Amino acid sequence: MVALDLPTTAPATTGAPDTRMTGRMRLVLVVLLVAQFMLAVDFSILNVALPVIGQGLGFTLGGLQWIATAFALAAAGFTLLFGRVADLVGRRRVFLGGMALLGIASLAGGLATGPELLMAARVAQGLATAAVTPAALSLLTSSFPEGPLRARALGLNGALMSAGFTTGAILGGVLTDLLSWRWAFLVNVPVALAVLLVAPAVLKESRPAVRPRLDVPGAITVTGGLLALVYGLTAEPWALPVGAALLIAFVLVERRAASPLVPVRILTRRTVVWGNLAGLVAFVTETSLVFLMTLYLQDVLGFSPLAAGLSFGVLGAGTVLGGVGASRFIARFGARTALVAGGLLQAAATLALYGLGDDRGSLWLLLAATFAGGVGNMLAIVGFMVTATSGIPDHEQGTATGLATMTQQIGITMGTPIMSAVVVTTPVLLDGIGLAVLVNAAIVVAGALTSAVFLRRA
């Protein structure tokens, strides 16, 4: 029977390598974390700048949403494919290729003179994210042995990624106000170049001695299904059943494929299935809560975009604290406990936001609750990453991390449309936000209970 959790206590220390990072491990961690942090910043850095971009390049009001949607389509639709490609042709090779594409796309976006070039750059940034994120995550998990070291590395990774989302919102406002929206793109170029110069000397290549053939039918069905799913969530709901049908076809194809894109044995592992479901809940709820609080700060309290972005610095601090402490928590209590405890803390903090009023005296409640919720959310996210990648052999880590990355991207994409639909059900904005907060908290509680029930120790 498959073990469904990490040990509830830290293993006895039998040697320094089990509990301490070597110098090379630290270098690997720095390179990969810098890349992941930049990708997280990239996701949110344009949100504040969208109106200015629209005025500068002639986007219509309806066309502005496609700056975000085009990125999400590419990032979520191709991540599982690139995760498997990284297993087959080499994770370092895919990582470096993705970073190069990100640098080029960011330069093109920063120099764009019309909507067409900017949209092409945004799609290319999404493709680069789909390539780099699973490759970097699989390089991370295969570089650190399963146990305390991997949990620590994943905790730092999760903390910096979540901090990156917050930093992106703040940095986008600062760059747009003080310089130009173009720097929201151009800031990536020197970082990508630095990673490309250092990474080849630090990262080891990993690919199979005998390269199996790529499962083309599986690649077509899963990529088409994910594209249709994200398109349905962000633009046209009629695409949702198309996406569901293609994903069902993908599962059927994988059962018969000689070299499946995702081996069926991975899809049937409880840790993979329920771990990814827990991760989906964590990303759907926290990213959509940021959207709800942005509405509250700007449209109810009258904050400027920059002031609203700065308010989320407290949330960022909570996520960093949660990510840094997650590895110790997991080593002592187990990943399942982290999922449950983190979810319950996030749910309690989210529920507290139901008490927000229409005056600025409620700001202290928002700051305290988002800080606590950030700690809980990051504890759950690290628990999800550890659970979804545990017990998977190194040669399939790209597939496992591709699934985890796909879960992350879909969760980020799903949250805002879901909560937007809840908000507009009431005529008063504050009442709609309050109702959405209750729905958000209920989803988190359901996710925590699911983890408690289905990830019980074998």
Side-chain angles (χ1 to χ4, degrees):
M1 186 175 291
V2 177
L4 300 182
D5 209 344
L6 296 179
T8 55
T9 57
T13 301
T14 57
D18 291 333
T19 56
R20 295 182 182 177
M21 291 188 186
T22 64
R24 184 177 186 84
M25 283 180 174
R26 290 190 178 94
L27 285 174
V28 170
L29 192 61
V30 169
V31 170
L32 296 177
L33 291 187
V34 167
Q36 295 279 49
F37 180 78
M38 185 176 69
L39 293 173
V41 168
D42 213 40
F43 181 86
S44 57
I45 196 170
L46 288 182
N47 289 347
V48 175
L50 285 180
V52 181
I53 294 173
Q55 294 170 7
L57 295 184
F59 276 90
T60 64
L61 185 60
L64 278 180
Q65 69 162 336
W66 282 99
I67 296 177
T69 300
F71 178 90
L73 279 168
F78 289 88
T79 186
L80 189 57
L81 173 60
F82 279 125
R84 183 55 174 163
V85 169
D87 279 341
L88 300 181
V89 306
R91 295 164 191 161
R92 188 180 72 166
R93 182 178 298 178
V94 171
F95 174 80
L96 294 175
M99 289 301 298
L101 177 60
L102 183 64
I104 294 170
S106 298
L107 181 62
L111 300 177
T113 56
E116 296 79 9
L117 181 56
L118 187 132
M119 291 298 297
R122 201 64 177 142
V123 170
Q125 283 186 324
L127 290 173
T129 299
V132 171
T133 304
L137 195 54
S138 58
L139 284 167
L140 191 69
T141 55
S142 59
S143 297
F144 294 86
E146 190 171 322
L149 277 179
R150 183 181 293 181
R152 182 181 173 192
L154 288 173
L156 291 171
N157 179 72
L160 280 182
M161 285 193 69
S162 187
F165 292 130
T166 306
T167 302
I170 298 171
L171 188 60
V174 171
L175 290 174
T176 301
D177 280 355
L178 300 183
L179 296 172
S180 164
W181 63 263
R182 296 183 182 278
W183 282 98
F185 284 95
L186 295 175
V187 71
N188 289 334
V189 177
V191 181
L193 183 60
V195 171
L196 287 170
L197 290 174
V198 175
V202 174
L203 303 177
K204 292 182 178 179
E205 185 57 281
S206 57
R207 59 176 177 265
V210 178
R211 185 184 301 174
R213 300 175 69 177
L214 181 64
D215 173 23
V216 176
I220 292 173
T221 51
V222 73
T223 303
L226 290 173
L227 285 171
L229 181 64
V230 175
Y231 184 65
L233 289 169
T234 56
E236 299 290 346
W238 61 261
L240 290 175
V242 176
L246 285 170
L247 291 177
I248 292 172
F250 166 68
V251 174
L252 298 176
V253 166
E254 296 306 275
R255 292 182 180 277
R256 295 175 173 82
S259 299
L261 190 72
V262 181
V264 175
R265 63 181 176 276
I266 291 181
L267 292 174
T268 57
R269 289 180 66 93
R270 282 197 203 177
T271 48
V272 172
V273 174
W274 298 109
N276 276 284
L277 179 62
L280 182 67
V281 168
F283 281 104
V284 163
T285 52
E286 192 67 9
T287 54
S288 62
L289 189 68
V290 171
F291 163 73
L292 293 175
M293 293 303 99
T294 300
L295 283 181
Y296 175 74
L297 288 168
Q298 294 191 42
D299 295 344
V300 176
L301 297 188
F303 278 42
S304 69
L306 180 57
L310 290 172
S311 300
F312 290 119
V314 176
L315 169 63
T319 58
V320 170
L321 179 63
V324 171
S327 59
R328 293 183 180 180
F329 186 97
I330 290 172
R332 183 172 182 180
F333 299 107
R336 169 178 170 264
T337 305
L339 285 168
V340 176
L344 292 178
L345 175 57
Q346 181 188 341
T350 302
L351 188 61
L353 293 170
Y354 186 70
L356 293 174
D358 58 2
D359 62 272
R360 297 194 177 190
S362 296
L363 185 60
W364 70 268
L365 174 59
L366 184 147
L367 296 177
T370 54
F371 176 82
V375 174
N377 179 255
M378 188 48 57
L379 189 59
I381 286 176
V382 178
F384 141 62
M385 287 292 187
V386 171
T387 302
T389 58
S390 294
I392 306 292
D394 279 353
H395 68 276
E396 291 179 347
Q397 278 294 326
T399 301
T401 55
L403 283 167
T405 305
M406 177 192 71
T407 296
Q408 169 188 312
Q409 296 291 351
I410 291 176
I412 292 170
T413 305
M414 286 175 61
T416 298
I418 291 172
M419 293 304 150
S420 295
V422 175
V423 169
V424 298
T425 59
T426 63
V428 179
L429 178 59
L430 183 59
D431 292 344
I433 292 173
L435 178 60
V437 162
L438 293 178
V439 172
N440 193 296
I443 294 173
V444 180
V445 170
L449 293 178
T450 300
S451 296
V453 172
F454 293 103
L455 285 174
R456 287 181 296 179
R457 187 178 298 280

